[in-house]
Amino acid sequence: MRRRNPLSATLAERTDAGLRAGAFGHATSLSCRECGHQVALGPHYACPECFGPLEVAYDYPAVTREEIEAGPSNMWRYKALLPVPSDIEDSPNTEPGFTRLLEARNLAAELGLTRLWVKDDSTNPTNSFKDRVVACALSAARELGSKVFACPSTGNLANAVAAAGARAGIKTVVFIPSNLEKPKQVNSAVYTDKLVAVEGNYDDVNKLASEIAGEEEGWAFVNVNVRPYYAEGSKTLGYEIAEQLGWRLPDQVVIPVASGAQLTKVDKAFQELISLGLVEEKPYKVYGAQATGCSPVATAFKADTDAIRPVKPDTIAKSLAIGNPADGIYVLDICRRTGGAVEDVSDEEVREGILLLARTEGIFTETAGGTTVGVLRKLVESGRLDPTLETVVINTGMGLKTLDAVADRVGPAATIDPTYAAFTATGLAD
Amino acid sequence: MRRRNPLSATLAERTDAGLRAGAFGHATSLSCRECGHQVALGPHYACPECFGPLEVAYDYPAVTREEIEAGPSNMWRYKALLPVPSDIEDSPNTEPGFTRLLEARNLAAELGLTRLWVKDDSTNPTNSFKDRVVACALSAARELGSKVFACPSTGNLANAVAAAGARAGIKTVVFIPSNLEKPKQVNSAVYTDKLVAVEGNYDDVNKLASEIAGEEEGWAFVNVNVRPYYAEGSKTLGYEIAEQLGWRLPDQVVIPVASGAQLTKVDKAFQELISLGLVEEKPYKVYGAQATGCSPVATAFKADTDAIRPVKPDTIAKSLAIGNPADGIYVLDICRRTGGAVEDVSDEEVREGILLLARTEGIFTETAGGTTVGVLRKLVESGRLDPTLETVVINTGMGLKTLDAVADRVGPAATIDPTYAAFTATGLAD
């Protein structure tokens, strides 16, 4: 695992002295998840001692349910628990979050569950949960005095960064593989005139981004040098689930696993809520969902090992296709600790999951959501998820972005002449 | 203007006696907008006396800001002012509304406005304001004991009906022209296996829908026989704008005009808020936006006449392409009464409007929103919209649904080899 901290000698030195008070809210430092070493808040992401990943640490304030409920209908209602300043609402951002938590009675009945909810992040500003993490990264970039907001991405992240950067009025550069499908290019290029197509695959794009981060001063790559702040945004999914359930935790939660960061942050959110006294402590099980074509964490879970072997992704669930997931080991820890599991489903089951969710609950998810619903079904059928316990499944994105996955599966039931007789002949009136 | 009331002899007689108490909340009757004749609540939409359009009338309850603010983060926080029962939150629906109201500082600066807001309905469950009206129609269908939920549509409405019907677990039939593009078919077919493709144009589809409504018992066509309830859903856009501004009305509001219903309902909402004492009374100007290729209302406005001449639409703004808008006359009334205007822009200006909104505020709108932003710009440039007054522009839908409108306008700034040297050669690092 090669980790570099390219900005530590440039942006960091320039800004560490210049941070305004409360720039990162109640965050106190960056703490290494491996060795516990503490680093001052700044554009750092790897431990200088052991190269482990850095995570934001806080001196948590006292915060009440009422204070949170009095906040805005977006993720900033939880700003006291995020690495953002208390005036975050005053700086232009896409105002994501506080998305629907829908009770899914039809899907529950279909799967034989007693009580099931869908946390639906497809209705975020650019239609995926990435708006949450990017909003935290944008705040960090602003507070660090970054000149450029950037990312390498093939999809949801590119959309979210390009949109947030436009709204913030910051120079925004998005790097994509040059062979990306035209519609996906358009969905980022509409926001920025600084989209850069790179001849090569996603790994090549990523490598170039790291190189630029190391050479150029003042660039905030959301998923590279401001990653610790970025990742914290996913905690809001956990906070919202608890608040929307009436300030309590679910018994079971099923979460898609790409890098694994989202799953670990939802667990972190639940733990924070317990220790802050905002919800009652109770056992809950966390389940991870992968597509079989990119299932290194599920494979390790099943083999009862901590050794996650990188894979070359081959699945239609492209937004989950990270072959060497940075947080995989923490996903294993959490799923084992809580009594959950990590499971994977085939591309065929992903497609079925998309249709199942659409037909039962009117939610059109992308392939990541199809994966999660497919895994939910598989876990129920194999008896590893208790159907009598309250369960939440997270939908992270929107089906319009991956139309091809189901385009050849659905269509008109009939094509008719424009007459009543032709319609009754279809039998659809019966 | 041909109006029929096909269900009055079937579903109406069956259900008028069978409505539960409070089935339509505080609604008392259907009232003719032309002659004032009152009709009992039921699946009626045309006045039996004069064939004028029926509208929901209320015995408005006392309602406070605090009661509304204590409600859910969706349109049901205003349920006391809608034709829905007080337990509406208990029946499965898509829970739309309470979307973002974003202050648009960059767009304001670009256009020379002092204070501008975007009400962004692209983040609704199926990414358009149609989720609001369909939610009200669904409630009406449920309360009327309808067996089938249906609509003729080519786009946003089809998506919203198919999704809401799936979630409600009611038989749902959606009629589309058979030549509709495949992606648009998929975006409805994913929710329902009862999509019917009709050989003919949209007029043929509409005619067939009316015929079915007249022949079959218990069909609720959202935009035909339950239209009065359906249309009330757009009032929530007006309520939300006022609440999100801190319980006050804007000085100016720019609204797209298809049938014209949305504009009239936003005005109705503002008037209700004033008469209920929820906002202070003040003058406001309402502006309507059309695409030049389908601008019968703008044409009548400019000619200073009430005679709206139907047109054959020819514009990329397909979701606004209603050649004979049912509420056009009321749009003229409101825009003239308030001192606003109805303006239109070319398809080229629609495309520019889409890019302008995306690049300044990170909101990717569909062609309808491009039309509204284009009209906003034109009104400012021609001096008919006061740049010093607080203005709200409504974005009704999402750009992913009309990608083609801008697909040939945007793209990578550069295509490069995956090297730092290649990147610096682009000049994008400067």
Side-chain angles (χ1 to χ4, degrees):
Chain A
M1 193 161 49
R2 191 172 57 106
R3 293 179 186 278
R4 301 193 306 169
N5 200 345
L7 286 203
S8 60
T10 55
L11 184 60
E13 283 172 2
R14 192 171 60 77
T15 59
D16 274 8
L19 288 179
R20 63 172 176 144
F24 294 100
H26 297 277
T28 52
S29 64
L30 297 174
S31 170
C32 177
R33 279 156 90 178
E34 291 300 324
C35 75
H37 182 75
Q38 306 274 311
V39 177
L41 293 166
H44 318 294
Y45 63 98
C47 176
E49 299 292 322
C50 76
F51 295 95
L54 296 175
E55 184 174 40
V56 178
Y58 301 84
D59 179 12
Y60 291 106
V63 57
T64 67
R65 295 177 180 178
E66 292 69 29
E67 283 163 1
I68 290 169
E69 289 166 357
S73 288
N74 57 51
M75 65 186 271
W76 304 132
R77 65 202 281 117
Y78 309 105
K79 64 183 176 182
L81 306 175
L82 296 171
V84 301
S86 60
D87 61 357
I88 180 70
E89 294 128 294
D90 298 338
S91 50
N93 66 84
T94 65
E95 301 180 15
F98 216 57
T99 54
R100 306 181 294 174
L101 179 76
L102 291 178
E103 183 166 1
R105 295 174 194 162
N106 297 333
L107 181 56
E110 185 76 23
L111 300 181
L113 291 168
T114 307
R115 198 156 203 204
L116 176 66
W117 305 82
V118 179
K119 178 60 180 173
D120 181 23
D121 249 22
S122 69
T123 59
N124 265 320
T126 68
N127 303 103
S128 88
F129 87 101
K130 290 290 185 187
D131 291 315
R132 298 177 186 269
V133 286
V134 167
C136 282
L138 176 62
S139 178
R142 187 183 277 123
E143 298 301 330
L144 292 167
S146 305
K147 296 178 304 184
V148 186
F149 197 53
C151 75
S153 168
T154 65
N156 286 328
L157 181 59
N159 302 163
V161 165
R167 181 152 165 75
I170 186 173
K171 177 175 170 181
T172 303
V173 185
V174 172
F175 296 85
I176 56 169
S178 60
N179 64 356
L180 194 63
E181 302 92 315
K182 179 77 180 167
K184 292 187 180 170
Q185 291 192 23
V186 171
N187 202 23
S188 290
V190 69
Y191 299 113
T192 177
D193 60 2
K194 295 181 182 63
L195 183 72
V196 179
V198 179
E199 304 275 19
N201 60 25
Y202 180 62
D203 282 341
D204 297 321
V205 182
N206 244 331
K207 228 179 293 175
L208 176 60
S210 291
E211 200 178 344
I212 295 169
E215 296 289 343
E216 295 285 335
E217 198 175 314
W219 283 57
F221 276 91
V222 301
N223 49 349
V224 183
N225 54 336
V226 292
R227 186 174 179 88
Y229 310 97
Y230 163 91
E232 288 289 286
S234 284
K235 289 195 307 183
T236 57
L237 272 165
Y239 300 147
E240 292 178 18
I241 288 169
E243 179 180 350
Q244 291 171 321
L245 284 176
W247 292 108
R248 58 185 180 78
L249 302 181
D251 300 315
Q252 303 173 134
V253 57
V254 188
I255 306 173
V257 173
S259 75
Q262 180 176 113
L263 186 146
T264 67
K265 294 298 180 178
V266 169
D267 177 64
K268 184 179 182 184
F270 287 178
Q271 293 298 320
E272 287 175 339
L273 293 176
I274 290 170
S275 67
L276 288 164
L278 289 165
V279 300
E280 211 167 299
E281 179 156 18
K282 62 168 273 191
Y284 59 84
K285 295 182 185 183
V286 180
Y287 296 85
Q290 298 204 298
T292 305
C294 181
S295 53
V297 188
T299 301
F301 183 88
K302 292 172 189 176
D304 203 18
T305 172
D306 279 354
I308 296 175
R309 283 203 197 161
V311 301
K312 195 168 176 301
D314 178 19
T315 168
I316 58 169
K318 302 250 183 262
S319 62
L320 298 182
I322 297 183
N324 187 13
D327 286 18
I329 183 71
Y330 305 112
V331 168
L332 291 174
D333 284 351
I334 291 166
C335 293
R336 285 173 180 151
R337 185 194 82 217
T338 64
V342 187
E343 185 51 279
D344 58 273
V345 287
S346 69
D347 284 1
E348 179 57 26
E349 291 168 304
V350 170
R351 290 190 186 93
E352 287 168 6
I354 293 173
L355 288 179
L356 180 60
L357 186 61
R359 293 282 161 94
T360 54
E361 300 301 339
I363 299 169
F364 185 16
T365 183
E366 62 159 317
T367 46
T371 303
T372 315
V373 170
V375 163
L376 169 68
R377 174 154 71 178
K378 194 167 178 179
L379 289 168
V380 175
E381 287 172 359
S382 63
R384 279 166 302 156
L385 188 132
D386 187 336
T388 68
L389 296 180
E390 184 169 43
T391 305
V392 173
V393 60
I394 295 181
N395 173 33
T396 49
M398 220 255 293
L400 271 175
K401 296 193 188 181
T402 59
L403 270 179
D404 289 350
V406 292
D408 59 351
R409 296 302 185 85
V410 299
T415 300
I416 62 171
D417 284 331
T419 67
Y420 179 63
F423 174 65
T424 54
T426 64
L428 289 166
D430 305 332
Chain B
M1 194 161 48
R2 191 173 58 105
R3 293 180 183 279
R4 301 193 307 168
N5 200 343
L7 284 204
S8 60
T10 57
L11 182 61
E13 284 173 2
R14 189 171 61 78
T15 59
D16 276 8
L19 288 179
R20 66 172 174 142
F24 295 100
H26 297 278
T28 52
S29 65
L30 297 173
S31 171
C32 176
R33 278 156 91 180
E34 291 299 326
C35 74
H37 181 76
Q38 306 274 314
V39 177
L41 292 166
H44 319 294
Y45 62 100
C47 176
E49 299 292 320
C50 77
F51 294 95
L54 295 174
E55 184 173 40
V56 178
Y58 301 85
D59 180 12
Y60 291 106
V63 58
T64 66
R65 295 176 180 179
E66 291 69 29
E67 284 164 2
I68 290 169
E69 289 166 358
S73 288
N74 58 50
M75 65 186 273
W76 303 132
R77 64 204 280 117
Y78 309 106
K79 64 184 176 183
L81 305 176
L82 296 171
V84 301
S86 60
D87 61 358
I88 180 70
E89 293 128 294
D90 298 338
S91 50
N93 67 82
T94 64
E95 302 181 14
F98 216 57
T99 54
R100 305 182 295 173
L101 180 74
L102 290 178
E103 183 166 3
R105 294 175 194 160
N106 297 333
L107 181 55
E110 185 77 23
L111 300 179
L113 290 167
T114 307
R115 197 155 203 203
L116 176 67
W117 303 82
V118 178
K119 177 61 178 172
D120 181 23
D121 249 22
S122 69
T123 58
N124 265 318
T126 69
N127 303 103
S128 86
F129 86 100
K130 290 291 186 188
D131 291 314
R132 298 177 185 268
V133 287
V134 166
C136 281
L138 176 64
S139 179
R142 187 182 277 124
E143 298 301 331
L144 292 166
S146 305
K147 296 179 303 188
V148 187
F149 196 54
C151 75
S153 169
T154 64
N156 286 327
L157 182 60
N159 302 162
V161 164
R167 181 150 165 77
I170 185 173
K171 177 175 169 181
T172 303
V173 186
V174 172
F175 297 86
I176 57 168
S178 59
N179 64 357
L180 193 63
E181 301 92 315
K182 178 79 179 167
K184 292 188 180 171
Q185 293 191 23
V186 171
N187 201 24
S188 289
V190 71
Y191 300 114
T192 178
D193 60 1
K194 295 181 181 63
L195 183 71
V196 179
V198 179
E199 303 274 17
N201 59 27
Y202 180 62
D203 282 341
D204 297 321
V205 182
N206 242 331
K207 228 180 290 177
L208 175 61
S210 290
E211 201 178 342
I212 295 168
E215 297 289 342
E216 295 287 333
E217 198 175 314
W219 282 56
F221 277 91
V222 300
N223 48 349
V224 183
N225 54 337
V226 294
R227 186 173 180 86
Y229 310 97
Y230 163 90
E232 289 289 287
S234 283
K235 290 196 305 184
T236 56
L237 272 166
Y239 300 147
E240 290 178 19
I241 289 169
E243 180 180 349
Q244 291 171 319
L245 284 176
W247 293 108
R248 58 186 178 77
L249 302 181
D251 300 314
Q252 302 174 134
V253 56
V254 187
I255 307 172
V257 173
S259 74
Q262 179 178 111
L263 186 146
T264 68
K265 295 298 182 181
V266 170
D267 177 65
K268 186 180 180 183
F270 286 178
Q271 293 298 318
E272 288 175 340
L273 293 176
I274 291 171
S275 67
L276 289 163
L278 289 165
V279 300
E280 211 167 298
E281 180 158 18
K282 62 169 274 189
Y284 58 85
K285 295 181 183 183
V286 181
Y287 296 85
Q290 298 204 297
T292 305
C294 183
S295 54
V297 189
T299 302
F301 183 88
K302 292 173 190 176
D304 203 18
T305 172
D306 278 355
I308 295 173
R309 283 204 197 158
V311 300
K312 193 167 177 299
D314 179 18
T315 169
I316 58 168
K318 301 250 184 264
S319 61
L320 299 181
I322 297 184
N324 188 12
D327 287 16
I329 183 72
Y330 306 111
V331 169
L332 290 175
D333 285 352
I334 291 166
C335 293
R336 285 172 180 149
R337 186 194 82 218
T338 62
V342 188
E343 187 50 278
D344 58 274
V345 288
S346 68
D347 284 2
E348 179 57 25
E349 290 167 306
V350 170
R351 291 191 186 93
E352 287 169 5
I354 293 173
L355 288 180
L356 181 61
L357 185 61
R359 296 280 162 96
T360 54
E361 301 300 339
I363 299 170
F364 186 16
T365 182
E366 63 158 319
T367 47
T371 303
T372 313
V373 170
V375 163
L376 170 67
R377 174 154 72 177
K378 194 167 178 179
L379 288 168
V380 175
E381 287 172 355
S382 62
R384 279 166 302 156
L385 189 132
D386 187 336
T388 68
L389 296 180
E390 185 169 46
T391 304
V392 174
V393 59
I394 296 180
N395 174 32
T396 49
M398 221 255 293
L400 270 175
K401 296 193 186 182
T402 60
L403 269 180
D404 290 348
V406 291
D408 59 351
R409 296 304 184 84
V410 299
T415 300
I416 61 172
D417 284 333
T419 66
Y420 179 62
F423 174 63
T424 53
T426 64
L428 289 167
D430 304 332

mmCIF file with all atom_site columns, all heavy atoms in Angstrom, chain B residues 404-416:
data_model
loop_
_atom_site.group_PDB
_atom_site.id
_atom_site.type_symbol
_atom_site.label_atom_id
_atom_site.label_alt_id
_atom_site.label_comp_id
_atom_site.label_asym_id
_atom_site.label_entity_id
_atom_site.label_seq_id
_atom_site.pdbx_PDB_ins_code
_atom_site.Cartn_x
_atom_site.Cartn_y
_atom_site.Cartn_z
_atom_site.occupancy
_atom_site.B_iso_or_equiv
_atom_site.pdbx_formal_charge
_atom_site.auth_seq_id
_atom_site.auth_comp_id
_atom_site.auth_asym_id
_atom_site.auth_atom_id
_atom_site.pdbx_PDB_model_num
ATOM 1  N N   . ASP B 1 404 ? -29.216 15.367 -24.396 1.00 0.00 ? 404 ASP B N   1
ATOM 2  C CA  . ASP B 1 404 ? -28.927 15.719 -25.783 1.00 0.00 ? 404 ASP B CA  1
ATOM 3  C C   . ASP B 1 404 ? -28.891 17.224 -26.025 1.00 0.00 ? 404 ASP B C   1
ATOM 4  O O   . ASP B 1 404 ? -28.216 17.697 -26.946 1.00 0.00 ? 404 ASP B O   1
ATOM 5  C CB  . ASP B 1 404 ? -29.962 15.082 -26.724 1.00 0.00 ? 404 ASP B CB  1
ATOM 6  C CG  . ASP B 1 404 ? -29.786 13.580 -26.805 1.00 0.00 ? 404 ASP B CG  1
ATOM 7  O OD1 . ASP B 1 404 ? -28.748 13.097 -26.324 1.00 0.00 ? 404 ASP B OD1 1
ATOM 8  O OD2 . ASP B 1 404 ? -30.688 12.911 -27.348 1.00 0.00 ? 404 ASP B OD2 1
ATOM 9  N N   . ALA B 1 405 ? -29.634 17.974 -25.202 1.00 0.00 ? 405 ALA B N   1
ATOM 10 C CA  . ALA B 1 405 ? -29.716 19.415 -25.434 1.00 0.00 ? 405 ALA B CA  1
ATOM 11 C C   . ALA B 1 405 ? -28.355 20.093 -25.379 1.00 0.00 ? 405 ALA B C   1
ATOM 12 O O   . ALA B 1 405 ? -28.122 21.095 -26.063 1.00 0.00 ? 405 ALA B O   1
ATOM 13 C CB  . ALA B 1 405 ? -30.665 20.056 -24.415 1.00 0.00 ? 405 ALA B CB  1
ATOM 14 N N   . VAL B 1 406 ? -27.460 19.535 -24.554 1.00 0.00 ? 406 VAL B N   1
ATOM 15 C CA  . VAL B 1 406 ? -26.155 20.192 -24.403 1.00 0.00 ? 406 VAL B CA  1
ATOM 16 C C   . VAL B 1 406 ? -24.981 19.281 -24.746 1.00 0.00 ? 406 VAL B C   1
ATOM 17 O O   . VAL B 1 406 ? -23.827 19.683 -24.634 1.00 0.00 ? 406 VAL B O   1
ATOM 18 C CB  . VAL B 1 406 ? -25.959 20.727 -22.960 1.00 0.00 ? 406 VAL B CB  1
ATOM 19 C CG1 . VAL B 1 406 ? -26.899 21.894 -22.679 1.00 0.00 ? 406 VAL B CG1 1
ATOM 20 C CG2 . VAL B 1 406 ? -26.158 19.621 -21.932 1.00 0.00 ? 406 VAL B CG2 1
ATOM 21 N N   . ALA B 1 407 ? -25.298 18.046 -25.190 1.00 0.00 ? 407 ALA B N   1
ATOM 22 C CA  . ALA B 1 407 ? -24.231 17.049 -25.388 1.00 0.00 ? 407 ALA B CA  1
ATOM 23 C C   . ALA B 1 407 ? -23.177 17.513 -26.383 1.00 0.00 ? 407 ALA B C   1
ATOM 24 O O   . ALA B 1 407 ? -21.998 17.179 -26.252 1.00 0.00 ? 407 ALA B O   1
ATOM 25 C CB  . ALA B 1 407 ? -24.818 15.714 -25.825 1.00 0.00 ? 407 ALA B CB  1
ATOM 26 N N   . ASP B 1 408 ? -23.570 18.291 -27.377 1.00 0.00 ? 408 ASP B N   1
ATOM 27 C CA  . ASP B 1 408 ? -22.559 18.722 -28.359 1.00 0.00 ? 408 ASP B CA  1
ATOM 28 C C   . ASP B 1 408 ? -21.957 20.077 -27.998 1.00 0.00 ? 408 ASP B C   1
ATOM 29 O O   . ASP B 1 408 ? -21.189 20.642 -28.767 1.00 0.00 ? 408 ASP B O   1
ATOM 30 C CB  . ASP B 1 408 ? -23.151 18.732 -29.766 1.00 0.00 ? 408 ASP B CB  1
ATOM 31 C CG  . ASP B 1 408 ? -24.347 19.648 -29.874 1.00 0.00 ? 408 ASP B CG  1
ATOM 32 O OD1 . ASP B 1 408 ? -24.813 20.144 -28.824 1.00 0.00 ? 408 ASP B OD1 1
ATOM 33 O OD2 . ASP B 1 408 ? -24.820 19.875 -31.004 1.00 0.00 ? 408 ASP B OD2 1
ATOM 34 N N   . ARG B 1 409 ? -22.303 20.608 -26.843 1.00 0.00 ? 409 ARG B N   1
ATOM 35 C CA  . ARG B 1 409 ? -21.780 21.904 -26.416 1.00 0.00 ? 409 ARG B CA  1
ATOM 36 C C   . ARG B 1 409 ? -20.645 21.787 -25.416 1.00 0.00 ? 409 ARG B C   1
ATOM 37 O O   . ARG B 1 409 ? -19.900 22.753 -25.221 1.00 0.00 ? 409 ARG B O   1
ATOM 38 C CB  . ARG B 1 409 ? -22.888 22.724 -25.731 1.00 0.00 ? 409 ARG B CB  1
ATOM 39 C CG  . ARG B 1 409 ? -24.018 23.095 -26.601 1.00 0.00 ? 409 ARG B CG  1
ATOM 40 C CD  . ARG B 1 409 ? -23.489 23.845 -27.820 1.00 0.00 ? 409 ARG B CD  1
ATOM 41 N NE  . ARG B 1 409 ? -24.607 24.294 -28.607 1.00 0.00 ? 409 ARG B NE  1
ATOM 42 C CZ  . ARG B 1 409 ? -25.280 25.417 -28.375 1.00 0.00 ? 409 ARG B CZ  1
ATOM 43 N NH1 . ARG B 1 409 ? -24.931 26.199 -27.380 1.00 0.00 ? 409 ARG B NH1 1
ATOM 44 N NH2 . ARG B 1 409 ? -26.288 25.753 -29.146 1.00 0.00 ? 409 ARG B NH2 1
ATOM 45 N N   . VAL B 1 410 ? -20.580 20.677 -24.714 1.00 0.00 ? 410 VAL B N   1
ATOM 46 C CA  . VAL B 1 410 ? -19.594 20.570 -23.646 1.00 0.00 ? 410 VAL B CA  1
ATOM 47 C C   . VAL B 1 410 ? -18.751 19.318 -23.838 1.00 0.00 ? 410 VAL B C   1
ATOM 48 O O   . VAL B 1 410 ? -19.168 18.383 -24.519 1.00 0.00 ? 410 VAL B O   1
ATOM 49 C CB  . VAL B 1 410 ? -20.268 20.517 -22.251 1.00 0.00 ? 410 VAL B CB  1
ATOM 50 C CG1 . VAL B 1 410 ? -21.059 21.782 -21.978 1.00 0.00 ? 410 VAL B CG1 1
ATOM 51 C CG2 . VAL B 1 410 ? -21.155 19.290 -22.127 1.00 0.00 ? 410 VAL B CG2 1
ATOM 52 N N   . GLY B 1 411 ? -17.591 19.320 -23.226 1.00 0.00 ? 411 GLY B N   1
ATOM 53 C CA  . GLY B 1 411 ? -16.715 18.159 -23.341 1.00 0.00 ? 411 GLY B CA  1
ATOM 54 C C   . GLY B 1 411 ? -15.373 18.494 -22.718 1.00 0.00 ? 411 GLY B C   1
ATOM 55 O O   . GLY B 1 411 ? -15.213 19.552 -22.109 1.00 0.00 ? 411 GLY B O   1
ATOM 56 N N   . PRO B 1 412 ? -14.424 17.584 -22.846 1.00 0.00 ? 412 PRO B N   1
ATOM 57 C CA  . PRO B 1 412 ? -13.113 17.816 -22.251 1.00 0.00 ? 412 PRO B CA  1
ATOM 58 C C   . PRO B 1 412 ? -12.438 19.067 -22.831 1.00 0.00 ? 412 PRO B C   1
ATOM 59 O O   . PRO B 1 412 ? -12.578 19.357 -24.026 1.00 0.00 ? 412 PRO B O   1
ATOM 60 C CB  . PRO B 1 412 ? -12.324 16.558 -22.641 1.00 0.00 ? 412 PRO B CB  1
ATOM 61 C CG  . PRO B 1 412 ? -13.372 15.513 -22.893 1.00 0.00 ? 412 PRO B CG  1
ATOM 62 C CD  . PRO B 1 412 ? -14.528 16.258 -23.478 1.00 0.00 ? 412 PRO B CD  1
ATOM 63 N N   . ALA B 1 413 ? -11.747 19.774 -21.943 1.00 0.00 ? 413 ALA B N   1
ATOM 64 C CA  . ALA B 1 413 ? -10.960 20.917 -22.389 1.00 0.00 ? 413 ALA B CA  1
ATOM 65 C C   . ALA B 1 413 ? -9.715  20.434 -23.131 1.00 0.00 ? 413 ALA B C   1
ATOM 66 O O   . ALA B 1 413 ? -9.184  21.127 -23.994 1.00 0.00 ? 413 ALA B O   1
ATOM 67 C CB  . ALA B 1 413 ? -10.541 21.765 -21.194 1.00 0.00 ? 413 ALA B CB  1
ATOM 68 N N   . ALA B 1 414 ? -9.269  19.246 -22.757 1.00 0.00 ? 414 ALA B N   1
ATOM 69 C CA  . ALA B 1 414 ? -8.072  18.677 -23.381 1.00 0.00 ? 414 ALA B CA  1
ATOM 70 C C   . ALA B 1 414 ? -8.088  17.163 -23.220 1.00 0.00 ? 414 ALA B C   1
ATOM 71 O O   . ALA B 1 414 ? -8.703  16.640 -22.297 1.00 0.00 ? 414 ALA B O   1
ATOM 72 C CB  . ALA B 1 414 ? -6.820  19.250 -22.729 1.00 0.00 ? 414 ALA B CB  1
ATOM 73 N N   . THR B 1 415 ? -7.465  16.493 -24.144 1.00 0.00 ? 415 THR B N   1
ATOM 74 C CA  . THR B 1 415 ? -7.256  15.049 -24.020 1.00 0.00 ? 415 THR B CA  1
ATOM 75 C C   . THR B 1 415 ? -5.739  14.841 -24.047 1.00 0.00 ? 415 THR B C   1
ATOM 76 O O   . THR B 1 415 ? -5.073  15.265 -24.991 1.00 0.00 ? 415 THR B O   1
ATOM 77 C CB  . THR B 1 415 ? -7.929  14.289 -25.175 1.00 0.00 ? 415 THR B CB  1
ATOM 78 O OG1 . THR B 1 415 ? -9.333  14.573 -25.141 1.00 0.00 ? 415 THR B OG1 1
ATOM 79 C CG2 . THR B 1 415 ? -7.725  12.782 -25.042 1.00 0.00 ? 415 THR B CG2 1
ATOM 80 N N   . ILE B 1 416 ? -5.231  14.232 -22.976 1.00 0.00 ? 416 ILE B N   1
ATOM 81 C CA  . ILE B 1 416 ? -3.775  14.209 -22.796 1.00 0.00 ? 416 ILE B CA  1
ATOM 82 C C   . ILE B 1 416 ? -3.260  12.813 -22.468 1.00 0.00 ? 416 ILE B C   1
ATOM 83 O O   . ILE B 1 416 ? -4.012  11.942 -22.045 1.00 0.00 ? 416 ILE B O   1
ATOM 84 C CB  . ILE B 1 416 ? -3.331  15.155 -21.647 1.00 0.00 ? 416 ILE B CB  1
ATOM 85 C CG1 . ILE B 1 416 ? -3.959  14.700 -20.308 1.00 0.00 ? 416 ILE B CG1 1
ATOM 86 C CG2 . ILE B 1 416 ? -3.710  16.589 -21.955 1.00 0.00 ? 416 ILE B CG2 1
ATOM 87 C CD1 . ILE B 1 416 ? -3.435  15.436 -19.100 1.00 0.00 ? 416 ILE B CD1 1
#
